[in-house]
Amino acid sequence: MPPIFARAILAAAALAAGCSGSPWNDPYPDTDARANILYTSFSERPKHLDPVQSYSENEYVLIANIYQPPLQYHYFKRPYELIPFAAAEMPRALFYDAKDRRLPDNADAKEVAYSDYVIRIRPGILYQPHPALAQDARGRYVYHDLKPGDLDGVHAVGDFKQAGTRELTAADYVHQIKRLAHPRLHSPVMQLMGEYIMGLKELAQELAEAEKAADQAAPRDGFLDLTRFELAGAQAIDRYTYRVRVRGKYPQFVYWLAMPFFAPIPPESDRFYAQPGMAEKKISLDWFPIGTGPYMLTVNNPNRQMVLERNPNYKGEAYPAEGEPGDAEAGLLKDAGKPLPFIDKVMFALEKEQIPYWNKFVQGYYDASGIASDTFDQAVQFTGQGDVTLSEDMQARGISLQTSVATSVFYLGFNMLDPVVGGTSERARKLRHAISIAIDQEEMISIFRNGRGIAAQGPIPPGIFGYREGKEGINPYVYDWADNAPRRKPVEQAKQLLAEAGYPNGRDAKTGEPLLVNLDTTGTGPDAKSRLDWYAKQFEKIGVQLAIRATDWNRFQDKLRKGNVQLYFLGWNADYPDPENFLFLLHGAQSKVKTSGENASNYENPEFDRLFERMKNMANGPGRQAIIDRMVEIARHDAPWVWSLFPKDYTLHHAWVKNRKPNTMANNGLKYQRIDPAVRAKMRREWNQPVVWPLALGAGLLVLSLVPAVVTFRRRERQTATTS
């Protein structure tokens, strides 16, 4: 048989063989086809995995599943609710006056000199296996006194031959709080926590002086033994109990206890990682975490993939047995009481481009996905009634859509110090209300956000205590309640308000000059231009001219600090789910110009400010709700913002992924999710069948095209043989 025919037959055989095995485009090994692995991605390498420094969403996706703060958020309940994590029960603040006398729980904030939070952790919690905790038969740490050459061939913590563990203690939490003050770690919350945790600022100064003295004496590795220093505001009472003392009355402190900043770190890890040679090999806590949470980082290659694997020492936590209404009906409580976590391994692959990521999700190689603007129409469609549904292709694949309102607010702010749009006069207030009515937020959300958002009625988003639903929650200065829904007031009413403000048809009644207002923005590019053109048209509806002043971010910030703006765009993402974290943006004491605070509108209302001081220290309840209602009413009346929108998050997941519910405050949701690898493998095969007939046809055509050449060649061979 001629070689060319043999190769064609072998190629056809290979094609046939490929049809019966794993999909040809499968990016994962065949051995993992039915493994209990969750596949996801990341687009930007994390900078910090040390919980004292990390303060970024892409970092929290990892470390929130590795570390175990004393508290966490309930996975299902809304409004968001704190529950114990490592703590045995929820801590309760104990209030004391300046003479150390105990005060009642309802003590006025003015009487409270300090608050004590006594936290008891559950016994029996163990750290993940780690070489920093490895001990020999005598109880000596194996890797705490490394000699030159001991790190040869070591490039990661997994390269050490031995690993150990020990029980979590209260002192580990105290140690982490001390690390906030470490002079080399530069924690982003040190300044804020220094205002509250007693003695933390003083400890920072003491540690800075101690480090300087140590470097002068022996500048070999810079190890600073924090166990030798005391912190008045954080002390271990016994093996499982510690106390945090904060100045005054600060009820929001409990929310910080659910953040990685307050997760435990064993002192042994500091000593282990501070040894000579570690930093040069990037072997540090910032690269290789050590935690007691459900997962541990086993692969850290940010140029390719990062892998979390089940912590074999994690135990004692069960899947929630209760949620909010509708969770049971949605099947979210079927696993109630089962031990966590469900998934053995989570693989994060680097994906810098959205389209390749989306294609892999559709093929089943990623288990869940967000929706970018480039792929929105492929995933989602709107009904004639405006409802959101999945496209037919997504429905055919059994993909589910989940939507949630983020704990964020976007707004168009007025500078209240500006002589035209600012101030407390009735003229200025009516001008701001006219502009608020004219800007059709619903249209903006539909055009520029694919419907992903809801028009804001005030500063507090859904899911946060103080938010009001329905008729009682609308902004009556901009909306009417009709047909059981808010309806934006007509433009004619905005024009009437504008005339009452002294600008009939958009012109100054005294001078006849057109009203011109300036909008400072950092937006650039075609998308930004189309949005800004749209905003200009909204102002044109009432005869007002809008001038766009584009600038870079640094210049924009400088303008805000100096009050050199009229209108501006900003947004705010919640640090914690409390109304104080949103209402403070309108607190007079936070004025950007006066105090460099976060109140960029420089809004100041004496009644609002008095109520804020009362509200911020109150526990959630009817009394606090009543004060919040009044504050929101004042802000709506004064209109320092055009209340723009609360963004909506859209996420998709495949049918084999269970127990997913959006939670914008908690980042440790991996432990609740469950997958069915068998169903996933089956669907991947069905969706990724190779189309081999073009190859087979091509091979056949190739063979046929070579037949004349083969016939000619053989004819010449015979002629040559005959001649000879």
Side-chain angles (χ1 to χ4, degrees):
M1 179 183 297
I4 187 64
F5 287 103
R7 285 196 293 270
I9 293 173
L10 289 174
L15 291 172
C19 295
S20 60
S22 298
W24 290 2
N25 62 347
D26 193 336
Y28 311 120
D30 291 345
T31 53
D32 290 344
R34 293 179 176 269
N36 186 19
I37 300 174
L38 181 74
Y39 294 97
T40 184
S41 73
F42 66 100
S43 59
E44 184 179 357
R45 63 181 297 168
K47 186 176 180 181
H48 295 294
L49 298 180
D50 182 340
V52 84
Q53 299 185 80
S54 175
Y55 206 11
S56 176
E57 183 178 356
N58 69 315
E59 297 163 355
Y60 274 26
V61 167
L62 295 166
I63 67 172
N65 294 287
I66 296 171
Y67 291 106
Q68 192 172 14
L71 305 181
Q72 63 180 336
Y73 290 97
H74 196 287
Y75 187 52
F76 295 124
K77 291 185 178 180
R78 307 292 185 274
Y80 295 102
E81 179 182 318
L82 285 173
I83 59 173
F85 193 5
E89 64 275 324
M90 287 294 296
R92 183 169 63 94
L94 307 176
F95 304 125
Y96 296 86
D97 65 13
K99 295 183 179 180
D100 299 324
R101 294 176 299 195
R102 174 78 181 276
L103 298 173
D105 291 346
N106 61 350
D108 190 279
K110 296 179 180 178
E111 301 176 1
V112 178
Y114 63 89
S115 308
D116 275 354
Y117 291 84
V118 178
I119 303 157
R120 181 170 177 78
I121 62 172
R122 291 182 287 109
I125 297 175
L126 298 177
Y127 281 99
Q128 67 180 70
H130 197 280
L133 302 177
Q135 294 178 292
D136 61 18
R138 297 184 182 181
R140 297 176 301 188
Y141 289 102
V142 177
Y143 300 117
H144 283 202
D145 189 22
L146 297 176
K147 303 295 189 295
D150 287 348
L151 290 179
D152 292 347
V154 174
H155 304 285
V157 293
D159 294 332
F160 290 95
K161 295 181 180 180
Q162 297 184 48
T165 187
R166 70 162 172 81
E167 187 182 33
L168 172 68
T169 67
D172 298 333
Y173 286 94
V174 174
H175 182 75
Q176 168 68 348
I177 297 174
K178 291 179 183 179
R179 294 179 79 246
L180 294 173
H182 197 294
R184 292 193 178 184
L185 296 180
H186 308 294
S187 176
V189 299
M190 170 58 204
Q191 184 174 0
L192 175 63
M193 289 297 108
E195 297 295 329
Y196 286 107
I197 298 177
M198 298 184 70
L200 192 61
K201 282 186 176 180
E202 293 77 4
L203 177 62
Q205 181 63 35
E206 186 179 2
L207 292 177
E209 294 173 356
E211 184 189 50
K212 183 178 180 180
D215 285 345
Q216 291 174 347
R220 56 191 191 283
D221 54 32
F223 173 62
L224 201 55
D225 186 359
L226 299 184
T227 62
R228 298 190 296 106
F229 299 86
E230 292 296 322
L231 173 58
Q235 295 181 342
I237 298 174
D238 58 39
R239 183 173 179 82
Y240 303 112
T241 312
Y242 67 105
R243 183 203 69 211
V244 182
R245 178 167 292 178
V246 301
R247 291 183 180 87
K249 192 174 185 180
Y250 182 43
Q252 287 78 24
F253 182 72
V254 293
Y255 293 114
W256 290 98
L257 295 177
M259 300 179 74
F261 295 114
F262 290 87
I265 292 294
E268 296 95 325
S269 68
D270 284 352
R271 184 177 296 276
F272 171 77
Y273 284 122
Q275 296 179 90
M278 290 286 199
E280 291 77 5
K281 290 177 172 285
K282 289 189 176 181
I283 302 177
S284 68
L285 190 65
D286 218 19
W287 204 252
F288 296 103
I290 172 172
T292 60
Y295 290 98
M296 56 186 187
L297 186 69
T298 56
V299 176
N300 185 354
N301 180 3
N303 295 319
R304 182 173 175 267
Q305 70 173 199
M306 305 185 78
V307 178
L308 294 179
E309 293 190 48
R310 180 195 296 267
N311 175 5
N313 297 332
Y314 188 76
K315 59 183 179 180
E317 186 179 16
Y319 190 87
E322 58 181 355
E324 63 176 343
D327 286 343
E329 293 78 0
L332 291 172
L333 303 182
K334 290 182 178 180
D335 289 322
K338 295 180 180 179
L340 298 174
F342 295 123
I343 295 169
D344 293 334
K345 182 185 294 186
V346 184
M347 296 188 65
F348 297 82
L350 178 63
E351 289 284 0
K352 293 184 177 182
E353 302 295 333
Q354 175 62 33
I355 298 302
Y357 171 82
W358 173 255
N359 289 336
K360 290 177 185 177
F361 168 73
V362 173
Q363 293 165 341
Y365 296 126
Y366 287 129
D367 297 314
S369 174
I371 308 177
S373 57
D374 292 341
T375 55
F376 190 86
D377 292 339
Q378 298 179 42
V380 174
Q381 59 190 12
F382 292 93
T383 66
Q385 292 74 37
D387 296 327
V388 180
T389 63
L390 284 168
S391 65
E392 293 182 1
D393 181 51
M394 297 294 106
Q395 293 182 45
R397 292 173 180 266
I399 292 172
S400 297
L401 168 68
Q402 291 183 317
T403 64
S404 63
V405 181
T407 50
S408 307
V409 61
F410 292 160
Y411 58 92
L412 174 64
F414 297 101
N415 179 12
M416 298 296 281
L417 301 179
D418 182 78
V420 177
V421 301
T424 59
S425 68
E426 192 71 3
R427 175 204 63 78
R429 186 181 68 82
K430 288 184 176 181
L431 171 60
R432 293 192 294 270
H433 279 156
I435 293 173
S436 298
I437 294 171
I439 299 177
D440 191 337
Q441 303 294 342
E442 290 79 7
E443 182 178 285
M444 188 273 292
I445 293 169
S446 175
I447 294 174
F448 298 105
R449 296 187 60 87
N450 304 110
R452 288 177 288 182
I454 61 175
Q457 305 286 341
I460 302 175
I464 303 296
F465 181 84
Y467 175 79
R468 290 288 195 179
E469 295 273 4
K471 183 178 181 179
E472 63 181 355
I474 70 166
N475 178 3
Y477 301 97
V478 179
Y479 288 87
D480 295 315
W481 187 259
D483 299 326
N484 203 35
R487 292 287 182 266
R488 182 171 294 274
K489 292 180 183 294
V491 173
E492 288 70 22
Q493 191 160 341
K495 291 180 178 179
Q496 178 62 36
L497 286 170
L498 192 65
E500 294 174 7
Y503 300 99
N505 299 316
R507 291 183 174 271
D508 191 310
K510 297 179 180 179
T511 66
E513 294 294 323
L515 176 60
L516 173 69
V517 294
N518 299 305
L519 171 63
D520 283 273
T521 176
T522 59
T524 59
D527 292 342
K529 184 181 184 305
S530 61
R531 284 195 300 271
L532 294 172
D533 288 345
W534 179 88
Y535 271 99
K537 291 179 181 178
Q538 303 302 297
F539 281 77
E540 287 176 7
K541 291 190 300 188
I542 56 175
V544 177
Q545 297 180 23
L546 181 67
I548 307 298
R549 302 195 301 195
T551 184
D552 60 37
W553 175 249
N554 291 333
R555 176 62 178 152
F556 176 72
Q557 289 286 85
D558 186 60
K559 285 185 174 184
L560 288 179
R561 282 192 294 268
K562 295 178 180 178
N564 293 334
V565 297
Q566 280 188 307
L567 281 76
Y568 65 92
F569 289 120
L570 272 183
W572 183 260
N573 297 318
D575 289 312
Y576 42 84
D578 190 87
E580 179 264 349
N581 197 233
F582 290 92
L583 294 173
F584 92 110
L585 298 170
L586 297 169
H587 186 210
Q590 284 284 331
S591 169
K592 179 72 72 174
V593 170
K594 294 181 180 179
T595 67
S596 298
E598 296 296 340
N599 179 357
S601 284
N602 304 295
Y603 172 64
E604 190 169 0
N605 180 295
E607 183 184 2
F608 184 97
D609 292 346
R610 285 196 302 271
L611 292 173
F612 178 84
E613 294 297 339
R614 287 180 56 193
M615 178 279 306
K616 72 175 186 177
N617 294 316
M618 294 177 68
N620 290 342
R624 196 183 197 206
Q625 181 69 65
I627 292 177
I628 292 170
D629 289 343
R630 177 56 187 159
M631 294 176 68
V632 171
E633 162 59 24
I634 293 170
R636 287 169 174 165
H637 174 272
D638 292 346
W641 295 354
V642 175
W643 318 102
S644 297
L645 66 97
F646 304 125
K648 266 188 177 181
D649 295 329
Y650 282 32
T651 59
L652 304 169
H653 65 267
H654 287 290
W656 56 78
V657 184
K658 311 296 182 183
N659 302 337
R660 280 181 63 92
K661 181 175 180 177
N663 188 318
T664 57
M665 293 309 304
N667 296 284
N668 63 344
L670 289 176
K671 61 187 176 184
Y672 304 105
Q673 297 180 46
R674 180 167 54 81
I675 59 173
D676 188 331
V679 172
R680 178 171 61 191
K682 177 177 179 294
M683 300 309 295
R684 282 179 178 174
R685 285 195 302 270
E686 292 182 5
W687 296 342
N688 296 280
Q689 286 294 328
V691 181
V692 299
W693 66 263
L695 296 176
L697 179 60
L701 292 175
L702 176 62
V703 171
L704 291 175
S705 68
L706 293 173
V707 167
V710 172
V711 171
T712 301
F713 174 78
R714 288 192 169 182
R715 183 179 301 157
R716 289 179 179 175
E717 287 286 310
R718 287 196 295 270
Q719 289 175 348
T720 302
T722 303
T723 303
S724 62

